[in-house]
Amino acid sequence: MDIFGGAPRVLGYPRPMVVQCGSNATLKCQIGGDPRPDVVWERKNIQILSEGRYKISEDGKAYLLTICGVTPQDVGQYICKARNSIGETYAAASLKVEGEVSEGQQGGPTQADAGVHNGTMPLGNLENGELVGQLNGYVNGQQTTARNANGTESRGQSNGECVNKPANIGAVDKRIPLDEDLGRMSLPANDAARFLIKPISLRVDRGEDAAFSCKLWGTPLPEVVWEKDGKKLSDIFESAHYSVSSQDGSWFQLKIFRTRVPDKGVYTCRAANCHGQAIAGAVLLVEPVPERGESKKSSSNQWSPKQGRGSSGSGRHNLLRYVEEPSENAAKVKKFAVSEGKHAKFRCFVTGKPKPEIIWKKDGVPLEAGRRHHIFEDREGYYTLKVLYSKVQDSGLYVCAASNALGNTLSAVQLSVKEPPVMIVEPRDDVVVECYTGEEVHLQCELSRSTGAVRWYKDGVVVEEEEQEEKEEKEKEEEEEKEKEKEKEERQEDCCHVRLTCEGPYRRLSVRRAGPQDAGEYVCDTDGDSVFFQLHVAEPPVRIVSPEDSEVELTLLALERLELTCVLSRPGAPVRWHRDGLEVEEGPGLVLEVDGARRRLVVPAVSTGDSGEYVCDTQDDCVAFLVTVAARKISVRKGLGDQETFERETASFEVELSHADVEGVWQKDGIRVKPNNQWRVSANGLVHGLTLSNLTLEDTGTIVFSAEGVRTSARLAVKETPVSIVKKLADVRVEEGSPVTLECEFSRQNVEVKWLKGTVELKPGKNCRIYSMGRKRYCQILEASLANAGTYRCDTADISTTCSLEVYEHVLELVHELEDLCVQEDQNAVFMCEVSLEDVAGEWWKDGHRIRPTSTVKTRTE
């Protein structure tokens, strides 16, 4: 199975090439991946196409770049890039051309990086039973050296063979770029990010500082990111272990403080700006030189967390004590002893590019993984051989041999199996302990003898006896302070948080008031046996302290207050309330309250519909409240009565009940009454009222009041308002022949009337008109005669008004009498008089004789 998840990975790195000018050079890179990656070759950030002097080909997983007739201009670094849908990778190698001045001599140092790009030989040695030996590879186009644990130097040759020679352990190979190199470099013509000086591979002793420097070109100035073995430094190093800086705008430096053996690897500098990016890498080798005064013999009270449980899964493990002897080449190898029946564990830290192949051997015979031999690579990169339940026949010489295409190395350890000094009788297997926060935990082992010594570890860190003695001294001091018992108890709990006790063959580690920080892996270790305790600390479950019963029955009357209260074991814990299986939400008629450890559900005024099962649930515990709401026995003390009234009047209805605070419903003709300006609903104690104002005929109907099972009704009848006379008939006296109009006014418009003269009803005719305008009623006589005189009446069904009409005869009077005239002969004489009435016939007389009209006498009426 591809542990990289199908992303491209380099199976074989290209080697740096040194060829003669004019010959052909072939760079080869082996890359695997699923799906099959796309591979391109680049030089100076420009892709190389298969044309002209360049030929690109592939053979299975091998990708080749052939340059025909190389020239000094071909000197430089070539990068092979591979990419698929899952990820990408790259490898690089340098090409040097001999016979003419190379580009590296003209433009500054040329790197032939064999770290992540070109490959190194396996590096490793064994200290105190762990293989950490190293061998050589190529760095910057030069042969590198490393030292084995036996004090010899191994040099990697170009053919991959290894030759051991005496070496000086204190020697350190370092290369620093020189300032005079800078003056010989030509600046790039474009603005893309480029390296003027690339970082140089280094080899330092453990504890020394290591610094990588490079100079960049680009406009704008490129941004720089440093990586180790493809990972960001911030992901694998603490911030105090390294620093990144820049000087003069173009110089960039990575400095690693007090280097450690795991710091070795390939460091990559990525520079990028808006025009492009450039990548350069360098290798850091860290020599595991022993510190001054450091014992090469492992102390019995020192146990690295890396020596913890392997992936084999056995319940019993052995923490080994190693004894260092001279190397195998000096006829002496490292030795260590293990008790019979215990586990022997060998760890080997090896590095190299390509990844080295590891073979474990015993007495020259290769070992294969089996039931008692577990061979694996742990998460920290250590190759491990674990011999389970060691037997006497397991004694012998164990060799870890590492090799790759560039070389090989090995280291040996002599194992002797002896009788176990102290055994752990109980428990026999690893123990998983679970507890809640605040509880007390005891981890106990029973030894094979009472005098056996043990050491406890937590997550690989030893629990010192000295610390326990200090805690006991503090405990004694606090016990003397009797005046402050509470403070004493609190400090006592803090000081004695972890206690180690010994009772006969029993060894006990006690944790008081366990917290999340106490969770982890605990080991009880003797010199010949060990057992693991896995402690899990979880938050305690939230319990309902009150009420104690899981079911509580409650019976209430309607409109009473419902209050359900639960007291929790932890104040801050959340709860959920359910009613009949459905989660309830807070609203106007339901309130959820939180008061410290108390949780309340409150219904201010319950109704029969609020009956049901209410549950308070903490996920760890729950309590159910069975609530029954009974209806009150309401009775009507005073019911509704029928009412009869007129339009535009006001009607009021009142009901008196036996109980107060009863919600009632008013209806008219089966429709619920909604209060408005005309309909007003009131409730005052026992009395409920309904007032209807400005009534109309349409308000006639049945009024009903109902509340909690009681009902009362009444009939409302609205009649028209009685007719009244606003303006009565007035007496009229007219002259014969004159028109007469009789007029009266009523309180309503829609009033039907009859006109009568005496007892005879008048009907409209030629001389009589009867009509109405609004609330007024008219009777008009066009020409009054003496016969029209009499009493007139305007009559309704309920009321009437009368008047008298007097008609008098014409009275003829002379308005202007005749006047005497004096005229001359032959002149006209005109006599004129005026009477009070028109159309009155008159006769003219002269000296007692009627004058008749002639040719000379004429009469005229105007």
Side-chain angles (χ1 to χ4, degrees), residues 4 40 150 209 212 427 500 588 742:
F4 293 94
V40 297
N150 55 19
D209 295 346
F212 294 99
L500 302 179
L742 304 178

Side-chain angles (χ1 to χ4, degrees), residues 36 170 258 387 434 440 459 762:
R36 186 179 179 89
R258 295 184 60 83
V387 181
E434 296 181 350
E440 186 169 350
D459 296 330
L762 297 176

Side-chain angles (χ1 to χ4, degrees), residues 507-786:
R507 304 296 181 266
R508 184 181 298 113
L509 182 148
S510 301
V511 181
R512 299 188 61 185
R513 300 185 66 181
Q517 70 280 3
D518 297 313
E521 188 177 64
Y522 291 79
V523 181
C524 179
D525 177 53
T526 68
D527 289 339
D529 200 2
S530 63
V531 66
F532 287 80
F533 297 86
Q534 188 67 41
L535 177 60
H536 300 285
V537 182
E539 287 291 336
V542 180
R543 301 298 182 187
I544 297 179
V545 180
S546 175
E548 296 180 356
D549 297 333
S550 60
E551 286 189 0
V552 180
E553 295 185 0
L554 296 174
T555 302
L556 298 90
L557 294 176
L559 297 181
E560 288 185 344
R561 175 184 173 91
L562 171 63
E563 183 174 312
L564 307 179
T565 303
C566 291
V567 180
L568 307 183
S569 60
R570 195 167 73 232
V575 301
R576 290 187 177 183
W577 288 91
H578 298 81
R579 177 193 168 193
D580 295 333
L582 299 177
E583 185 173 357
V584 299
E585 295 182 357
E586 190 169 9
L590 189 146
V591 180
L592 301 179
E593 298 179 353
V594 177
D595 181 14
R598 298 179 182 272
R599 303 293 183 271
R600 296 189 186 92
L601 182 148
V602 179
V603 179
V606 296
S607 63
T608 55
D610 293 322
S611 299
E613 183 183 55
Y614 294 78
V615 177
C616 179
D617 183 17
T618 68
Q619 294 186 350
D620 299 316
D621 197 3
C622 66
V623 63
F625 298 88
L626 304 179
V627 178
T628 302
V629 181
R632 295 179 294 181
K633 295 182 180 180
I634 306 297
S635 62
V636 179
R637 292 182 178 178
K638 179 182 177 183
L640 298 176
D642 295 340
Q643 292 194 33
E644 187 175 305
T645 184
F646 297 100
E647 289 181 294
R648 294 189 296 277
E649 297 294 330
T650 299
S652 297
F653 295 90
E654 284 189 354
V655 177
E656 184 178 350
L657 302 178
S658 59
H659 292 76
D661 299 328
V662 177
E663 183 178 355
V665 176
W666 290 92
Q667 292 179 322
K668 177 185 175 295
D669 296 334
I671 300 175
R672 184 167 183 171
V673 173
K674 295 182 179 180
N676 52 35
N677 293 334
Q678 182 184 1
W679 301 68
R680 295 192 303 275
V681 176
S682 63
N684 185 11
L686 304 176
V687 180
H688 295 256
L690 173 65
T691 301
L692 296 84
S693 58
N694 196 22
L695 293 171
T696 63
L697 295 177
E698 289 76 10
D699 293 330
T700 299
T702 302
I703 304 299
V704 178
F705 175 83
S706 60
E708 297 187 20
V710 297
R711 184 177 183 273
T712 180
S713 62
R715 181 70 181 174
L716 173 63
V718 181
K719 297 182 179 181
E720 290 184 339
T721 306
V723 179
S724 62
I725 299 175
V726 178
K727 181 180 179 182
K728 295 182 179 182
L729 292 175
D731 295 338
V732 179
R733 183 176 181 275
V734 297
E735 188 178 6
E736 183 182 10
S738 298
V740 178
T741 301
L742 304 178
E743 175 187 352
C744 66
E745 183 178 356
F746 296 93
S747 60
R748 288 204 317 262
Q749 294 184 7
N750 57 343
V751 178
E752 294 183 1
V753 301
K754 293 181 181 181
W755 287 93
L756 298 97
K757 179 186 177 187
T759 60
V760 179
E761 183 178 356
L762 297 176
K763 300 293 183 180
K766 293 182 178 180
N767 194 40
C768 179
R769 294 181 58 197
I770 297 174
Y771 62 95
S772 63
M773 294 181 62
R775 295 181 299 177
K776 294 181 178 181
R777 302 296 181 266
Y778 296 93
C779 179
Q780 186 177 27
I781 301 174
L782 301 180
E783 291 184 4
S785 64
L786 295 177

Side-chain angles (χ1 to χ4, degrees), residues 316-432:
R316 304 192 55 76
H317 301 265
N318 183 28
L319 300 181
L320 306 180
R321 178 175 297 171
Y322 303 112
V323 180
E324 182 176 349
E325 295 291 339
S327 65
E328 183 183 10
N329 291 348
K332 292 184 179 180
V333 297
K334 297 182 181 181
K335 298 180 180 180
F336 72 93
V338 63
S339 299
E340 185 177 9
K342 303 306 176 184
H343 304 329
K345 183 178 178 182
F346 307 90
R347 305 178 74 213
C348 172
F349 187 86
V350 182
T351 183
K353 296 293 182 178
K355 186 175 181 179
E357 180 182 359
I358 304 298
I359 298 178
W360 289 90
K361 298 180 180 180
K362 176 183 177 292
D363 297 330
V365 178
L367 291 175
E368 294 184 358
R371 187 175 63 86
R372 293 184 55 248
H373 294 87
H374 289 184
I375 300 174
F376 57 92
E377 180 181 1
D378 62 19
R379 291 179 297 179
E380 300 176 2
Y382 284 85
Y383 296 93
T384 305
L385 167 63
K386 196 169 186 180
V387 181
L388 303 181
Y389 307 107
S390 302
K391 301 180 180 179
V392 175
Q393 54 266 36
D394 292 327
S395 300
L397 181 66
Y398 288 81
V399 176
C400 177
S403 62
N404 65 5
L406 299 181
N408 55 72
T409 186
L410 60 84
S411 188
V413 175
Q414 183 70 40
L415 172 65
S416 61
V417 181
K418 62 181 181 179
E419 183 181 357
V422 178
M423 297 294 295
I424 295 179
V425 178
E426 194 68 32
R428 299 296 301 170
D429 297 319
D430 295 350
V431 180
V432 177

